[in-house]
C-alpha cells in the first residue's frame, strides 16, 4: 500500500511514521515535505504533480481541510482519510469529492510527540484499505475510539475549545507570585498552561474558530466574578455535582 500525505507538519509526519506503507509527502512548503520524508523514510513530491496513491491522507490545518480535500481527492485510488481534527465538515467534503472511495476521519487525541494514544475514528464507505490503515495504527499501540461526526465535534467544544480557553485565560490573568507562595493547584495549572503555550498559536486559533466553547467559559467566569458569598458557594456546589455525576457515569 502507498500513501500520499498532503501536509507535512507534525501530524502528517506522525501519520507517515505510524502507517505500514510507502509514504510520500506534499506540502505548500517543499522543504517541510522533504524534512518529513527524511524523518520517516519516504519521499517528497510536488502538490502540483500527478502523483496518485492507494490512500490520500489530508493532514493540513483545520481551516484548510475542505479546500485540500477538494484539490487532492482525485489523487486517491482507493481511500481518502483526514487527520485535521474536525469531522463533520471534512467527511462532508470527502463525500462530495470522493463519493466512490473509502473514507475515514481520524482525530489523534494527543500531540504527535506523545504517541501512541487514543484516536477518534469515523468510518464511511469503509473497506479493506481503510481497515489496513487502522490495523496498522492499532499495531503501533493506539486505541481506536469509534464515534460519529456529531458526537466528536460536540465533544471537542469541551475537550478542546473550552479547555484551552480556560487554561489560556488563567495564563493571561495570572500575575507572578513570590517564590514559596505556590499552592499545589496553582502549580498544576501553571504547568498545564506552560504545556499549552509551548504549542503553535495557529493550531489553537483554528480550534477556537471551529468549535464553540470559549463563550461558555467566559460566561461561567463572569458569573463567578459577580457572585456574592452565598451565590459563589452555590456555584461551587454545582461544579462539584456535575463532576461527580460525570464520574459516576464513566
Amino acid at each position: 500500500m502507498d500513501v500520499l500525505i498532503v501536509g507535512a507538519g507534525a501530524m502528517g509526519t506522525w501519520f507517515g511514521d505510524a502507517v505500514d506503507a510507502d509514504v510520500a509527502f506534499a506540502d505548500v512548503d517543499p522543504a517541510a515535505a522533504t524534512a518529513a520524508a527524511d524523518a520517516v523514510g519516504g519521499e517528497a513530491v510536488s502538490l502540483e504533480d500527478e502523483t496518485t496513491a492507494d490512500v490520500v491522507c489530508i493532514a493540513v490545518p483545520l481551516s484548510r481541510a475542505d479546500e485540500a480535500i477538494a484539490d487532492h481527492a482525485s489523487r486517491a485510488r482507493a481511500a481518502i482519510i483526514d487527520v485535521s481534527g474536525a469531522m463533520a465538515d471534512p467527511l462532508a467534503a470527502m463525500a462530495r469529492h470522493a463519493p466512490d472511495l473509502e473514507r475515514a476521519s481520524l482525530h489523534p487525541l494527543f500531540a504527535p510527540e506523545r504517541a501512541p494514544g487514543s484516536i477518534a475514528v469515523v468510518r464511511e464507505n469503509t473497506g479493506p484499505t481503510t481497515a489496513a490503515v487502522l490495523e496498522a495504527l492499532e499495531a503501533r499501540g493506539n486505541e481506536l475510539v469509534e464515534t460519529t461526526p456529531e458526537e466528536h465535534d460536540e465533544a471537542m467544544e469541551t475537550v478542546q475549545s473550552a479547555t484551552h480557553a480556560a487554561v489560556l485565560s488563567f495564563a493571561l490573568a495570572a500575575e507572578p507570585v513570590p517564590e514559596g507562595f505556590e499552592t499545589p493547584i496553582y502549580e498544576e495549572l501553571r504547568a498545564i498552561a506552560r504545556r499549552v503555550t509551548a504549542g503553535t498559536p495557529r493550531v489553537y486559533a483554528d480550534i477556537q474558530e471551529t468549535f464553540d466553547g470559549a463563550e461558555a467559559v467566559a460566561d461561567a467566569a463572569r458569573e463567578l466574578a459577580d457572585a456574592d458569598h452565598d451565590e459563589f458557594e452555590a456555584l461551587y456546589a454545582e461544579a462539584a455535582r456535575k463532576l461527580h455525576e460525570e464520574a459516576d457515569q464513566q
Side-chain angles (χ1 to χ4, degrees):
M1 179 172 62
D2 54 1
V3 177
L4 171 64
I5 301 171
V6 179
M11 194 54 68
T13 304
W14 163 81
F15 187 82
D17 185 52
V19 295
D20 184 17
D22 296 324
V23 298
F25 292 89
D27 195 279
V28 293
D29 179 359
T34 299
D38 290 345
V40 305
E43 65 173 321
V45 299
S46 169
L47 281 174
E48 286 75 32
D49 72 13
E50 300 298 322
T51 301
T52 62
D54 297 319
V55 180
V56 168
C57 174
I58 303 299
V60 300
L62 273 170
S63 58
R64 301 296 301 276
D66 289 4
E67 178 185 355
I69 290 166
D71 289 344
H72 301 288
S74 62
R75 301 171 77 168
R77 296 192 293 267
I80 183 167
I81 293 171
D82 92 285
V83 293
S84 65
M87 288 192 167
D89 288 347
L91 281 165
M94 287 188 275
R96 286 195 305 273
H97 298 288
D100 299 326
L101 296 180
E102 297 175 38
R103 303 183 297 277
S105 184
L106 313 181
H107 184 188
L109 301 170
F110 50 84
E113 64 272 15
R114 297 181 180 273
S118 297
I119 302 175
V121 177
V122 173
R123 313 177 196 224
E124 288 191 351
N125 201 29
T126 190
T129 305
T130 49
V133 169
L134 295 174
E135 287 170 7
L137 295 177
E138 280 191 302
R140 295 294 294 268
N142 297 290
E143 178 185 0
L144 305 185
V145 181
E146 303 284 347
T147 185
T148 66
E150 296 77 18
E151 181 182 56
H152 170 271
D153 288 1
E154 182 177 354
M156 290 307 107
E157 293 180 5
T158 294
V159 171
Q160 290 193 312
S161 180
T163 300
H164 299 165
V167 172
L168 290 170
S169 294
F170 163 78
L172 291 167
E175 297 291 344
V177 300
E179 186 175 354
F181 282 75
E182 299 90 348
T183 65
I185 291 175
Y186 167 79
E187 285 192 320
E188 290 178 17
L189 188 51
R190 183 176 62 176
I192 292 170
R194 285 175 173 169
R195 179 172 160 186
V196 169
T197 54
T200 303
R202 187 207 69 244
V203 172
Y204 289 87
D206 281 347
I207 289 169
Q208 293 301 329
E209 188 175 49
T210 302
F211 302 114
D212 295 329
E215 285 297 329
V217 173
D219 291 344
R222 176 50 54 194
E223 192 173 7
L224 286 167
D226 292 342
D228 62 23
H229 188 279
D230 290 342
E231 291 168 341
F232 193 98
E233 283 194 14
L235 290 168
Y236 182 100
E238 174 66 9
R241 182 192 64 78
K242 287 180 64 176
L243 291 173
H244 290 158
E245 287 183 354
E246 180 184 351
D248 291 342
Q249 294 171 0
Q250 292 178 346

